[in-house]
Amino acid sequence: MVEATPTKRIAPAEGFRVANSVVSIETAKPASRISLRATSAGARSFEKSLNFALPRKPAETASAKGRHALWLGPDEWLLIDEANPDDSMVPRLPNKQFSAVDVSHRNMAFIVAGPGAAATLNAACPRNLSLAAFPVKTCSRTVLGKAEIVLYRTARDTFRVECWRSYAPYVRDLLAIASKDAHI
Amino acid sequence: MLLIHCPYCKDDRPELEFSNAGEAHIVRPTNMSDISDTEFEAMFFMRDNPKGIALERWRHAHGCGRFFNVARNTVSDKFLKVYKAGEPRPSDAEIEELLK
Ligand SMILES: [Zn+2]
């Protein structure tokens, strides 16, 4: 008998971290993620397994116990679970009013933190990241250079940058270069 | 950078998040197999490309992902009006008013 040996999953940009006096950038811990598309009835149904309400207004987020729901569009949300393994948020009963797709391994994230975080991101992201225009607990799909990202401001000086894993080396290098110019 | 108002995000967003999707209010015929080649050509290929007010589809591609319509001045590049997909096209009188 040949014994099966489990292969170790290698995450993109695993263990990456750069920091200077104003900003630090590091790869976020592994998390499970759901791409949710839902009618309004489907969203109400999905909430029952989520145990908190999905945000209904543009750019809003909602969080509870390590789970985050990010409004991406009128019928689209990105759900991130930092505490539980893959597919923990997928409801066990079939439902034709929503589509919940596990995208845990499609995405990865960088945490950009510090007083120079907004300046670092603004090197390649055209959005106004002032606290008035992009307050704490808001999110948005947008661009960072040529890569599409989902930007989530988790605290005054902390952003979570979700990107597709194939973009990770590009986003990592772009943020690292931008951090050198982020003097405030 | 040009800022474009998305009627779904209800916010002004940088143009880099958007993509143009051609002329708006093109009606696809329901009897596609019955129409002549000339009629198909007119519907499928021929576009107005006006100097002045163009009614266009735009997509908030790197945002909410939604298609919507705009009235845009192709000379000044000014977005005069944005409206959700499915909403009626602005009347000529309304466009005249927007140009003032
Ligand atoms: Zn939008």
Side-chain angles (χ1 to χ4, degrees):
Chain A
M1 280 290 284
V2 177
E3 275 197 37
T5 45
T7 49
K8 184 183 181 296
R9 185 181 292 280
I10 299 169
E14 200 168 64
F16 171 76
R17 179 181 161 86
V18 295
N20 60 31
S21 58
V22 290
V23 65
S24 67
I25 300 152
E26 60 185 31
T27 304
K29 289 189 194 73
S32 55
R33 301 167 174 91
I34 297 277
S35 169
L36 175 70
R37 304 295 303 261
T39 62
S40 48
R44 284 195 296 278
S45 166
F46 187 87
E47 281 168 342
K48 288 178 198 139
S49 62
L50 193 65
N51 295 326
F52 63 92
L54 290 166
R56 297 303 205 287
K57 289 192 187 132
E60 272 190 355
T61 66
S63 304
K65 293 179 184 154
R67 283 180 174 181
H68 310 274
L70 282 59
W71 186 100
L72 293 187
D75 62 357
E76 185 181 4
W77 292 265
L78 176 66
L79 301 161
I80 303 167
D81 190 337
E82 295 180 294
N84 292 293
D86 302 348
D87 84 1
S88 58
M89 289 177 288
V90 179
R92 297 296 163 217
L93 294 170
N95 189 311
K96 287 184 175 152
Q97 291 171 316
F98 62 73
S99 143
V101 178
D102 186 341
V103 294
S104 304
H105 304 295
R106 183 196 73 182
N107 278 31
M108 55 86 64
F110 294 100
I111 307 295
V112 183
T120 300
L121 290 161
N122 273 148
C125 175
R127 291 289 291 275
N128 179 351
L129 298 179
S130 68
L131 276 166
F134 205 97
V136 177
K137 298 286 169 205
T138 56
C139 73
S140 182
R141 184 153 49 201
T142 181
V143 289
L144 185 83
K146 293 288 179 187
E148 183 175 284
I149 58 164
V150 172
L151 193 59
Y152 174 23
R153 188 175 217 149
T154 52
R156 185 189 163 88
D157 284 339
T158 308
F159 295 85
R160 183 183 181 92
V161 179
E162 284 272 330
C163 70
W164 288 22
R165 64 176 291 146
S166 53
Y167 298 154
Y170 170 84
V171 170
R172 174 197 63 202
D173 293 350
L174 190 54
L175 289 173
I177 293 164
S179 70
K180 294 179 185 170
D181 276 336
H183 306 298
I184 46 163
Chain B
M1 185 176 293
L2 192 64
L3 295 176
I4 300 171
H5 187 85
C6 173
Y8 293 96
C9 293
K10 300 183 176 73
D11 194 15
D12 294 342
R13 297 292 174 84
E15 61 174 302
L16 292 179
E17 292 185 2
F18 295 85
S19 54
N20 180 290
E23 194 173 317
H25 305 294
I26 305 272
V27 180
R28 267 70 185 167
T30 51
N31 58 337
M32 195 72 90
S33 54
D34 300 332
I35 63 172
S36 69
D37 287 355
T38 314
E39 286 170 319
F40 182 83
E41 181 202 25
M43 180 280 293
F44 201 76
F45 294 110
M46 295 307 179
R47 296 291 180 260
D48 285 344
N49 193 23
K51 180 180 182 182
I53 303 304
L55 299 177
E56 298 172 319
R57 297 170 79 217
W58 281 73
R59 181 171 179 241
H60 195 186
H62 302 298
C64 62
R66 285 299 170 112
F67 284 91
F68 58 96
N69 294 327
V70 314
R72 184 173 69 92
N73 187 333
T74 59
V75 178
S76 66
D77 216 16
K78 208 167 181 174
F79 284 67
L80 300 168
K81 183 186 169 132
V82 297
Y83 51 107
K84 290 181 178 177
E87 288 178 0
R89 64 194 295 159
S91 66
D92 291 347
E94 193 180 341
I95 289 170
E96 280 299 315
E97 194 60 35
L98 291 167
L99 279 170
K100 281 176 192 161

